[in-house]
Structure formats: structure tokens, C-alpha cells
Amino acid sequence: MPTYRLPAYRAVLFDFFGTLTCATRRGDRHAAVAALLGCGVDVLAEVLDRSFYLRATGALGDATATLRWVCAQVGARPSDADLRAAVAARVEAVRADTRLRPEAVTVLRALRRRGVRVALVSDCTHELPAFLPQLPVAPLLDVRVLSVQVGCCKPDPAIYLAACHRLDVPPEDCLYVGDGGSQELTGAARTGMTAIRLAAADLHGHLVFNQDRGWVGPALASLSEVPGLLDVPELPDVPGPGRARSEPAGSLPVAGGAGCGV
């Protein structure tokens, strides 16, 4: 029987927008949301931008209550039917803006074949939980920690530790991969994780909040480089996760990076 080296990391935690997905920008479908609410699309975008973290913690209530609050900010008074339709339209708009990176599914499968657990840790509003189960990455995620469900955003240590608790893996055995929004890399490093920035070329102009501009740590140019960091071969049939940490990770390249967004 061949002897395989154990992975240096027992789990890899991924950001979603700008990491598992291509760069995020608001598309044309947001105009339909604004029309249903009875306001201009630019006015709506301004309120969404300045209220992101308030909305992403779930502090304003469910999706309908949150959008009702947004209406109050823009001075709109839609009917109950139009408000319900706007909630659905917003899910469709954010879904339309979401394009998984072509290599995302392949990368997650490769990690699982290496016996490594996979978690999603995302700052997001109510829309992502509504359509995430339909995405092809969903069945490849062992754990999903979404800010709107746990009540805190990155870089709060609680959101990273929630993932560790659900994975049953300590922070020091985790690799965190993100594009740098919400100061996520700094936050992950402070909890004891190894943090690495995805500096993909498409992230220029990416919708991002509270970017980790001071990050000078390691970076990757492509998501497809992540499995190679583990320096362990893929196996056709791998026992369940939970193997112990052994050797330290290989050296990580340093490169420029972009932001992260939702």
C-alpha cells in the first residue's frame, strides 16, 4: 500500500463573492427592483452601498423587512404586492450578477479528494441563502457560514470561529482564501489561520466594501492554485475528513491583489 503525506491543512475556508465567483458588479436586473419600489436605480444603489453591513448582519429583519427599510430610506412607498415582487426580483438580480469561476467546482472537488474539509464564509445579505442551494458548488461545501444568518461580518473573529466550530477544526489547521473585502484576510490571520489573497486579474473594478488594502501577505493569481498548496495527491476514495495536521504548508507566492465584494 502506498504511503501518502497528510495535508498541512485540514480545512480550507473560502470567501464567496470575488473568490468562488468572478468579479461582482450590479447588472441591469437591479433596474427592475428599483421600478417595483418606485425609485431611481442610482438612488437604490446608494442606499444599498451605505447600508451593506447593516443588512448583511440581518439587523433589519428578514428580506421583506429589510427592503421595507430601504424603501423608507429612498422615500418610496410600494404596495405590499410590489414589495413582495421586489424581494423576489432582488434575489434574481443578485443571482444574475453571480458567475462562479470556471475552476470553482474543480477546485472544491480536488480538495475533497485530498480529504480536506471545505467551508464557505461569506458576508452577504438575504439573497445569497435564497439561491446558494441551487449552485453547483453547494453540495461540495461541508459548512456554510453566512453573515446574515450568524449576525456578524468579517473581520469579526466570531464568523471565522463559527466555521471552525462547525468543521471541528482549530484555526491553525485552516487555510483561508479570499479576495480581501471586509478586511477578511487580516481577520482570518488574527484568528490563527493562514490567509491568502486571490489576486485574479478580473477583480479590477469589483464591487467591494472595506477592502483589506494593507494586506501584504501571500497571494495567488488563480483559484486553481489552491489544491497545490496542500502538497498531497488526490485519492480516488478518501475516508472522512478529520486527519491530523502534520507538515507545515509549502511556501506561498506573493502577488498584488484586488478587492472582494457582495
Side-chain angles (χ1 to χ4, degrees), residues 29-63:
R29 296 201 184 188
H30 292 272
V33 179
L36 286 164
L37 297 180
C39 67
V41 67
D42 291 341
V43 174
L44 176 61
E46 187 276 329
V47 173
L48 293 178
D49 286 349
R50 64 177 166 84
S51 66
F52 172 71
Y53 288 108
L54 187 61
R55 294 180 294 110
T57 58
L60 299 172
D62 63 14

Side-chain angles (χ1 to χ4, degrees), residues 1 18 27-28 32 41 45 71 102 108-109 112-114 119-120 133 157-158 160 183-184 195 197 228 259:
M1 295 289 291
D28 295 340
V41 67
C71 289
L108 297 189
R109 284 177 176 163
R112 291 170 66 89
R113 284 195 294 267
R114 285 166 164 81
L120 176 69
Y160 305 97
Q183 297 195 21
E184 61 185 344
R197 184 177 211 152

Side-chain angles (χ1 to χ4, degrees), residues 80-120:
D80 288 345
D82 282 345
L83 182 62
R84 288 193 298 270
V87 170
R90 179 153 165 75
V91 172
E92 291 305 313
V94 177
R95 174 67 183 90
D97 295 342
T98 301
R99 294 177 298 114
L100 290 175
R101 293 192 179 278
E103 67 272 26
V105 169
T106 300
V107 167
L108 297 189
R109 284 177 176 163
L111 293 174
R112 291 170 66 89
R113 284 195 294 267
R114 285 166 164 81
V116 176
R117 305 206 74 193
V118 177
L120 176 69

Side-chain angles (χ1 to χ4, degrees), residues 114-188:
R114 285 166 164 81
V116 176
R117 305 206 74 193
V118 177
L120 176 69
V121 181
S122 177
D123 283 354
C124 64
T125 50
H126 291 287
E127 292 73 30
L128 179 57
F131 65 78
L132 178 60
Q134 286 77 55
L135 298 182
V137 295
L140 301 174
L141 301 170
D142 295 299
V143 166
R144 309 171 194 177
V145 179
L146 307 180
S147 66
V148 74
Q149 296 177 339
V150 299
C152 62
C153 291
K154 306 171 216 176
D156 189 325
I159 196 167
Y160 305 97
L161 295 176
C164 290
H165 176 74
R166 297 180 192 182
L167 290 166
D168 194 24
V169 176
E172 58 268 24
D173 286 351
C174 295
L175 175 66
Y176 183 89
V177 182
D179 61 290
S182 295
Q183 297 195 21
E184 61 185 344
L185 303 168
T186 299

Side-chain angles (χ1 to χ4, degrees), residues 202-222:
D202 70 301
L203 291 172
H204 179 73
H206 173 49
L207 179 62
V208 59
F209 301 100
N210 195 22
Q211 187 173 345
D212 222 336
R213 298 185 184 278
W215 178 256
V216 293
L220 298 176
S222 171

